[in-house]
Every structure is written in C-alpha cells, then in structure tokens.
Amino acid sequence: MRQIGSVLFWTFVVVTSILMFPFALIIWLVTAPFGPRKVLLHRFTCFWASLYTWFNPWWHVHITGRENIDP
C-alpha cells in the first residue's frame, strides 16, 4: 500500500511540475524587469511547494516563531 501511495505522490509531483512551470516562467518573464526581488514569483512558488505538503498525508508541517517575522 505504501508503494502505491509513493507512486501516486510522485506522479502528482511530476504532473504538477509540468503544469506549474510554464506559469512560473510567464510570471518571471513579466515581472523580472519591474521587481528585482521577484515577490510575485516567490509567492507563486511558495504556493506550488505548499501543494506537496498539503496533499501528502504523511507530511506534517508545524510552524513555530511566526510572530517573530518582521512583516
């Protein structure tokens, strides 16, 4: 059962990478001349990476110290 879950998850990773990369490339192309920090691209890639932690039932994310981040 664990191998099936692993194959399904890696299939999800490959498919979402193929689908999301063109959007990241477009965001980079459009925003690169205007934003040297690439904030929009960073937010998109953070969302993209979060998909993997949201959809993997064996991964748990616990955030500590969030109140110490300077907005």
Side-chain angles (χ1 to χ4, degrees):
M1 186 63 169
R2 202 161 198 190
Q3 288 84 7
I4 293 170
S6 180
V7 168
L8 288 174
F9 180 73
W10 282 107
T11 302
F12 176 72
V13 169
V14 170
V15 170
T16 55
S17 294
I18 291 169
L19 294 174
M20 300 290 259
F21 179 75
F23 291 107
L25 185 60
I26 291 168
I27 291 170
W28 177 77
L29 287 171
V30 171
T31 61
F34 308 108
R37 292 184 54 221
K38 297 173 186 53
V39 175
L40 186 61
L41 181 61
H42 176 74
R43 288 185 181 177
F44 178 77
T45 54
C46 284
F47 165 75
W48 182 359
S50 295
L51 287 176
Y52 303 130
T53 58
W54 295 335
F55 285 104
N56 191 329
W58 295 287
W59 291 356
H60 302 283
V61 177
H62 301 279
I63 299 171
T64 58
R66 181 181 282 175
E67 65 279 356
N68 298 324
I69 296 174
D70 185 19

